[in-house]
Amino acid sequence: MKSSGGGDKNASVLAIASACLLHFWKQIFLFLLCVVVCVIVFSQFSVTNTTITTRLSVSEESEGADGVQPLRFRHRVGNDDIVSLLLNETNTVSLPFLRPQKYFIGTDTPYYRNVNEFDEKRENDLPTPALMPLKEIFALWPACDADVPATLPPHMVDGFLEVLDYSDSKQRKRAEVLRVSEVPFKLKNVPFVDRTVEKWKHDEYLIALMDETNEEHRVTTSKSHKFRYFRSNAFQRLTYSSPTGTEKMSFRSFLQHQYAAEEGDLDETHYYLQMKAVYSRFDKYRWIFKDLREWIPQNNFWFADPEQNRGINCRFGAKGISSSNHFDSGRNFIALFRGTRRYVIAPPEECPNLHLFPNSHPEARHSEGDWCDIDYEKYKDYNKAKAMNVVLKAGEVLYLPPYWMHYITSNTLTIQCNTRSGFSYRGWRDIKKCGFPIPVPAH
């Protein structure tokens, strides 16, 4: 009896061990099978000098409305990931996993593509446009003078930027070259912008869309025309007094405040509406994408890296409203749909001369001092600062590269929208020297 029981026990142990061993070999077999499949798949993209053609998708509606054709990239995959950019191609498909490092635009000269990489190499970057002393700019046109001077020199209207016609394919190609080199420029004759200007100049059109749900909008308030961005943690709030507040109101009420400000004093309370539209069926401001369809995240002229887009930001402000000088980290296309706005812009290398609050401060990335009345004795580096003055009118678009400083004043009631597309490595070293981590969150 004892020996029989022992035999049964041994048989059970043997059966369990066999089952475990069989399961183990099954897992090994499946793992090796996965490895083989992966090797076969990835080997298709590891052959040196294999050419793969992909066309980057653009919505048919935006293409037909604008006459803008999608871009075609030709990739040579292997040791040297190269892409040539050709215009006027149709029938598009996406191949998002190929991320070339440099490409050609209508010439044999390579330009490095800025795909959120902080690479040492920057071959053939175009130079920064000419600058003039900040002190001289404000001598010609004081910072807080909202009225555009009657006799403004040309270099105070367009800065020293190239002004390009978007409807001209050659000039659009030139704009692409400038964007790759992270050089600012202005665009005119952009069809979807012109259409939206015509729509948004009517208050009732905007009121119907904004107040459709009867929801009130969160509006930023300031005790003067100066608006200063800030962020603070719980500890900082004990010692830091917020420069702005918030109120909720309908869009119709907001507009009434804007028109009242036209005749009011600059030191009276001002109101500033900032909206962020995200491409989602549940977003309350999704109607913006109906008018700005070309700014739906996609591979087109407007997005160097669609995956890094975080929507469209729109800002409504009265005449005289100003935003303190600061920089953002995203590639930024800024379109003006109503009014006139003044931008004083400076490249990242001017960072040491612009007295930026340190990264630990609630107003990090923004300049110290009152630019309406700069104390050049207290802030001595402003004496060395250089910048350019740019006037943006309704229907125009400004490309502002990452880390470029900008001080903004509304010369009339204005509506401005912008969209960003990832980061860039040109200029990041200058910003890092000023004590800011990379990338810096954009607001």
Side-chain angles (χ1 to χ4, degrees):
M1 292 292 291
K2 287 182 180 180
S3 62
S4 175
D8 291 340
K9 188 174 180 180
N10 290 336
S12 299
V13 171
L14 257 161
I16 293 171
S18 299
C20 289
L21 196 59
L22 182 62
H23 180 73
F24 172 78
W25 283 112
K26 281 183 179 179
Q27 297 301 314
I28 292 294
F29 173 78
L30 289 173
F31 173 78
L32 292 174
L33 183 63
C34 288
V35 170
V36 170
V37 170
C38 289
V39 169
I40 292 172
V41 170
F42 284 106
S43 67
Q44 302 302 312
F45 303 105
S46 62
V47 181
T48 302
N49 295 335
T50 298
T51 298
I52 300 175
T53 299
T54 176
R55 295 183 179 126
L56 304 180
S57 60
V58 176
S59 67
E60 290 182 5
E61 183 170 342
S62 65
E63 180 185 334
D66 256 1
V68 178
Q69 302 297 329
L71 311 177
R72 189 184 74 180
F73 286 76
R74 187 180 74 249
H75 304 268
R76 191 175 73 201
V77 183
N79 297 331
D80 199 14
D81 290 337
I82 295 181
V83 57
S84 67
L85 182 151
L86 304 174
L87 298 174
N88 303 320
E89 294 292 333
T90 56
N91 303 322
T92 63
V93 293
S94 295
L95 196 56
F97 50 83
L98 287 175
R99 300 177 70 79
Q101 294 178 332
K102 59 183 176 180
Y103 58 86
F104 301 91
I105 303 183
T107 68
D108 293 329
T109 304
Y111 290 87
Y112 280 82
R113 189 183 186 205
N114 307 336
V115 190
N116 300 337
E117 302 163 353
F118 301 114
D119 199 329
E120 293 279 350
K121 299 179 181 179
R122 289 295 303 190
E123 292 183 4
N124 302 305
D125 269 334
L126 298 179
T128 297
L131 304 172
M132 58 189 295
L134 184 69
K135 210 171 182 178
E136 185 178 330
I137 291 174
F138 291 147
L140 290 169
W141 186 0
C144 285
D145 185 354
D147 296 314
V148 181
T151 56
L152 200 62
H155 65 268
M156 288 283 287
V157 177
D158 297 322
F160 297 93
L161 303 183
E162 293 186 41
V163 182
L164 302 168
D165 188 337
Y166 182 83
S167 63
D168 184 297
S169 62
K170 290 184 179 179
Q171 294 193 41
R172 190 166 65 247
K173 189 182 295 186
R174 173 63 178 173
E176 185 74 21
V177 171
L178 293 172
R179 190 197 59 72
V180 170
S181 271
E182 300 301 354
V183 173
F185 56 87
K186 284 174 71 173
L187 292 171
K188 61 181 182 179
N189 295 331
V190 182
F192 83 90
V193 173
D194 292 339
R195 290 194 306 269
T196 306
V197 168
E198 286 301 308
K199 291 180 181 179
W200 288 15
K201 70 181 181 181
H202 302 291
D203 288 350
E204 292 304 319
Y205 176 82
L206 293 170
I207 290 170
L209 292 168
M210 294 283 284
D211 292 342
E212 181 181 20
T213 59
N214 294 319
E215 288 187 49
E216 292 188 322
H217 307 280
R218 190 169 178 266
V219 175
T220 305
T221 63
S222 175
K223 293 180 180 179
S224 74
H225 65 105
K226 303 168 189 173
F227 282 76
R228 290 155 50 203
Y229 168 82
F230 72 97
R231 57 183 181 186
S232 58
N233 56 38
F235 176 76
Q236 289 170 327
R237 291 190 191 103
L238 298 175
T239 57
Y240 178 76
S241 178
S242 303
T244 58
T246 58
E247 288 186 24
K248 284 197 170 184
M249 62 183 69
S250 67
F251 185 70
R252 186 182 294 275
S253 297
F254 170 76
L255 279 180
Q256 291 172 354
H257 285 297
Q258 303 313 294
Y259 289 123
E262 297 278 336
E263 306 298 329
D265 190 84
L266 288 178
D267 290 326
E268 294 177 351
T269 299
H270 281 67
Y271 301 83
Y272 195 45
L273 175 58
Q274 303 178 71
M275 308 180 307
K276 183 173 183 177
V278 179
Y279 191 54
S280 164
R281 63 190 302 180
F282 304 109
D283 189 85
K284 66 184 289 187
Y285 297 123
R286 62 187 176 278
W287 61 267
I288 292 174
F289 286 99
K290 293 180 181 178
D291 288 338
L292 307 181
R293 293 193 64 83
E294 285 75 1
W295 280 3
I296 295 173
Q298 58 190 301
N299 287 309
N300 66 7
F301 172 89
W302 304 100
F303 297 98
D305 194 349
E307 294 177 4
Q308 292 296 320
N309 179 256
R310 296 294 181 268
I312 298 173
N313 296 290
C314 291
R315 294 169 170 84
F316 297 69
K319 177 181 178 179
I321 282 181
S322 64
S323 298
S324 58
N325 178 65
H326 66 284
F327 73 87
D328 300 310
S329 57
R331 302 182 185 94
N332 202 357
F333 273 110
I334 304 165
L336 201 63
F337 297 104
R338 187 189 286 196
T340 304
R341 261 191 157 193
R342 176 192 189 183
Y343 290 79
V344 178
I345 65 175
E349 53 262 35
E350 286 298 314
C351 172
N353 299 326
L354 292 172
H355 291 278
L356 299 180
F357 283 108
N359 195 51
S360 58
H361 193 277
E363 294 180 49
R365 301 185 290 115
H366 293 66
S367 287
E368 295 185 60
D370 183 358
W371 278 34
C372 291
D373 185 19
I374 295 178
D375 186 340
Y376 290 100
E377 287 298 317
K378 180 178 180 181
Y379 303 106
K380 295 184 184 299
D381 288 332
Y382 282 136
N383 291 285
K384 300 182 290 183
K386 293 182 179 180
M388 71 177 79
N389 193 88
V390 179
V391 177
L392 199 64
K393 295 174 284 189
E396 294 182 330
V397 180
L398 171 66
Y399 177 66
L400 197 66
Y403 319 121
W404 270 67
M405 316 291 161
H406 48 290
Y407 170 82
I408 310 167
T409 303
S410 294
N411 307 117
T412 61
L413 191 155
T414 59
I415 304 176
Q416 171 229 292
C417 295
N418 67 289
T419 191
R420 298 190 180 96
S421 177
F423 311 107
S424 165
Y425 44 73
R426 185 174 187 181
W428 77 268
R429 212 172 290 280
D430 299 297
I431 294 300
K432 189 176 181 182
K433 287 178 182 177
C434 287
F436 296 96
I438 301 297
V440 179
H443 73 271

